[in-house]
Amino acid sequence: MATPEQIQQEKAARRAAIRTEYWRTITNPHAHLHGESGGVFDTGLARFQAMRVNHFEHFKPTGRTLKIGMLTTVIPIVAYAIMMKRERDAREKEYRTGQVAYKDRRFKFI
């Protein structure tokens, strides 16, 4: 079993190797001869981008995703629509019963 110090040294050695490979690749003045653009190909970034592109191809609808979708999308929209409708109906009732003078109305053309 490796001790924490040995693990830390191995990580530092891996980091140093990756750092030297990066600098060797990025500062290579002859990279254009090999058809490379001079940038470093990051496999982790490529995997991440591929995952983002293919996410919906592998999506499986479950009860959990249904709940999340309902709680974050449908319910807030419906609740906001109900609140707006109630507020507008109450304001319209005040206007129609004469409780609010015409000069004090928020919108004159309602």
Side-chain angles (χ1 to χ4, degrees):
M1 186 79 179
T3 64
E5 292 82 19
Q6 291 173 338
I7 293 172
Q8 199 171 22
Q9 289 173 352
E10 290 172 5
K11 283 184 179 181
R14 279 197 302 263
R15 264 196 314 271
I18 291 171
R19 186 180 303 119
T20 56
E21 176 65 26
Y22 172 79
W23 279 110
R24 188 176 334 121
T25 305
I26 201 73
T27 59
N28 183 4
H30 305 293
H32 66 281
L33 297 175
H34 303 292
E36 299 174 3
S37 64
V40 178
F41 182 75
D42 187 358
T43 56
L45 183 61
R47 283 194 305 269
F48 176 74
Q49 289 173 337
M51 181 270 308
R52 299 255 334 240
V53 168
N54 296 325
H55 175 72
F56 292 108
E57 294 176 9
H58 302 289
F59 175 74
K60 294 183 178 79
T62 61
R64 181 176 179 266
T65 57
L66 175 70
K67 288 179 203 172
I68 291 171
M70 292 293 281
L71 288 173
T72 59
T73 306
V74 177
I75 292 174
I77 291 172
V78 170
Y80 186 65
I82 290 170
M83 288 181 351
M84 270 198 324
K85 175 78 170 128
R86 286 183 182 167
E87 192 269 334
R88 286 183 179 177
D89 288 346
R91 189 174 351 126
E92 183 68 22
K93 183 178 178 185
E94 290 177 352
Y95 291 165
R96 290 185 182 267
T97 57
Q99 295 175 2
V100 178
Y102 184 77
K103 65 178 183 170
D104 297 332
R105 292 184 184 183
R106 289 175 43 192
F107 302 104
K108 303 283 193 233
F109 301 110
I110 294 180

